[in-house]
């Protein structure tokens, strides 16, 4: 099993940047495909970005393409989500997640392990 701890959220003005981190412990981090999801109040949890164990496959939801960058450092057991040009509609609780399959999944049901979430608030 792997345990995930999200951090890096906060309050930022529109156009600003934040970098989220997801620190993993437990089983070998490189064995997992990683994803970032978000959930705004009253809305379903949605896929934001995902990265394969090697970093060779990366996917983003259309709304964040060109603004967000997902990455991972297997030596540090950490995944990241760099968020630039933030918009008020990016406001949500962001969760990192992991699963042991090889493919980057966009459905939350693919992922077995979840961080506790970190709040991102973007003011107009």
């Amino acid at each position: 099993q792997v345990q995930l701890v999200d951090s890096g959220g906060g309050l930022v003005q529109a156009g600003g940047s934040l970098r989220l981190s997801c620190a993993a412990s437990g089983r070998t981090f490189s064995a997992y495909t990683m994803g970032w999801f978000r959930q705004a109040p009253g809305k379903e949890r949605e896929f934001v970005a995902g990265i394969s164990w090697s970093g060779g496959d990366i996917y983003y939801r259309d709304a964040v393409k060109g603004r967000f960058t997902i990455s991972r450092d297997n030596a540090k057991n950490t995944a990241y989500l760099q968020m630039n040009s933030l918009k008020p509609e990016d406001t949500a609780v962001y969760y990192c997640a992991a699963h042991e399959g090889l493919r980057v999944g966009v459905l939350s049901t693919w992922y077995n392990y979840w961080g506790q979430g970190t709040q991102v608030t973007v003011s107009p």
Side-chain angles (χ1 to χ4, degrees):
Q1 291 189 349
V2 65
Q3 293 77 44
L4 305 176
V5 178
D6 309 320
S7 63
L11 172 64
V12 65
Q13 289 187 331
S17 298
L18 285 173
R19 187 174 83 154
L20 306 184
S21 298
C22 176
S25 60
R27 198 178 158 203
T28 305
F29 177 67
S30 60
Y32 294 89
T33 292
M34 301 299 297
W36 285 96
F37 288 75
R38 66 187 181 187
Q39 188 166 19
K43 294 189 176 181
E44 297 282 324
R45 188 169 297 189
E46 63 183 21
F47 173 81
V48 176
I51 185 168
S52 62
W53 70 273
S54 66
D57 291 322
I58 291 176
Y59 295 92
Y60 299 97
R61 70 179 300 107
D62 288 345
V64 307
K65 285 181 181 177
R67 300 188 297 121
F68 290 12
T69 303
I70 189 172
S71 62
R72 66 189 298 161
D73 186 335
N74 288 341
K76 294 183 177 179
N77 294 342
T78 304
Y80 304 97
L81 185 68
Q82 177 67 45
M83 306 186 295
N84 299 327
S85 301
L86 283 160
K87 303 176 180 181
E89 51 263 43
D90 295 317
T91 295
V93 178
Y94 283 71
Y95 300 88
C96 73
H99 75 83
E100 294 158 292
L102 296 178
R103 296 178 60 187
V104 176
V106 301
L107 299 178
S108 61
T109 51
W110 281 46
Y111 293 80
N112 308 102
Y113 307 101
W114 291 84
Q116 81 286 1
T118 184
Q119 176 70 47
V120 171
T121 303
V122 184
S123 63

